[in-house]
Amino acid sequence: QSALTQPASVSGSPGQSITISCTGTSSDVGSYNLVSWYQQHPGKAPKLMIYEGSKRPSGVSNRFSGSKSGNTASLTISGLQAEDEADYYCCSYAGSSTSWVFGGGTKLTVL
Amino acid sequence: QITLKESGPTLVKPTQTLTLTCTFSGFSLSTSGVGVGWIRQPPGKALEWLALIYWDDDKRYSPSLKSRLTITKDTSKNQVVLTMTNMDPVDTATYYCAHHIYGSGSYPYWGQGTLVTVSS
């Protein structure tokens, strides 16, 4: 069982917005502003989309945004496009003993 | 341009030790704030963080796998090596190495991954 809980799947139509949640605990998501989000297309390596909870790396569309409330982080994708269909994983720092934990992943389907 | 590439055996037998090498370019592991981590992904399953080594040789391991993992670096060769002992079929996965920035908690650059199958 993954340390961070994500919905198994979400879907949306082109142009719509969707939000993927990532629920942890007060030992990881709730304690550190070090949540990152990764997009993974089939057969490809993960790609960093959001880091430090809400920052976008250079080159990542501003349609992607991140936030956090308590022990839950969220990734929002606005103006859904077909190319956004992929698996998305959250990751959080969890202290010096555990270090990093990933979520179970969410499959995004663009209808 | 930062690139990373994993190399190692594609097939190992149960109980054997796996040795994977990550060869990178575009950064130095002697630079303050830099790290290289290993993450794996069983077929059809989620990502699992394994280990990380920092520029100052600080090493972190997944608590559940700590007894089986060793991570080392060779700064002169731009390589990081991960060894995993006592391999089991459940360890069958694609193993990725990734560049890490201390303080950001993220892995901005990843290798292409290498599939390791554990089978007799």
Side-chain angles (χ1 to χ4, degrees):
Chain A
Q1 186 173 356
S2 299
L4 305 179
T5 301
Q6 299 181 233
S9 64
V10 297
S11 63
S13 299
Q16 289 186 330
S17 295
I18 63 95
T19 296
I20 299 172
S21 61
C22 170
T23 302
T25 69
S26 57
S27 297
D28 39 63
V29 175
S31 286
Y32 306 97
N33 197 28
L34 293 176
V35 174
S36 51
W37 289 90
Y38 301 86
Q39 175 192 67
Q40 187 180 36
H41 287 109
K44 300 295 187 181
K47 174 188 177 182
L48 178 66
M49 306 303 285
I50 296 289
Y51 67 101
E52 293 180 30
S54 61
K55 297 179 180 179
R56 276 190 311 275
S58 175
V60 172
S61 171
N62 59 9
R63 296 185 299 105
F64 291 82
S65 62
S67 63
K68 189 184 85 167
S69 178
N71 296 336
T72 298
S74 298
L75 174 71
T76 298
I77 309 174
S78 60
L80 269 181
Q81 299 179 0
E83 67 212 46
D84 300 331
E85 186 163 291
D87 293 326
Y88 291 84
Y89 293 91
C90 61
C91 178
S92 176
Y93 182 64
S96 58
S97 299
T98 309
S99 293
W100 278 266
V101 289
F102 278 93
T106 298
K107 181 176 181 57
L108 169 62
T109 301
V110 180
L111 302 171
Chain B
Q1 180 187 3
I2 291 176
T3 64
L4 305 98
K5 187 172 184 179
E6 307 85 355
S7 59
T10 57
L11 179 66
V12 298
K13 290 180 167 52
T15 75
Q16 286 187 334
T17 294
L18 171 68
T19 299
L20 293 173
T21 300
C22 176
T23 303
F24 55 86
S25 64
F27 67 95
S28 172
L29 248 185
S30 61
T31 300
S32 179
V34 173
V36 171
W38 286 91
I39 300 102
R40 72 178 178 179
Q41 184 174 37
K45 296 188 177 182
L47 299 169
E48 179 184 16
W49 182 83
L50 299 177
L52 171 69
I53 189 165
Y54 282 114
W55 79 99
D56 60 357
D57 211 37
D58 183 18
K59 301 168 186 175
R60 308 292 179 89
Y61 296 101
S62 166
S64 62
L65 294 168
K66 186 174 183 177
S67 63
R68 299 173 54 205
L69 295 174
T70 302
I71 190 169
T72 60
K73 63 180 175 70
D74 186 329
T75 305
S76 65
K77 292 183 178 179
N78 281 352
Q79 291 182 333
V80 170
V81 174
L82 180 75
T83 60
M84 179 180 292
T85 62
N86 194 25
M87 292 293 284
D88 183 273
V90 299
D91 297 313
T92 294
T94 295
Y95 288 76
Y96 296 99
C97 64
H99 170 260
H100 176 79
I101 297 294
Y102 180 82
S104 77
S106 65
Y107 297 83
Y109 300 95
W110 294 60
Q112 63 189 22
T114 184
L115 176 61
V116 178
T117 301
V118 184
S119 174
S120 55

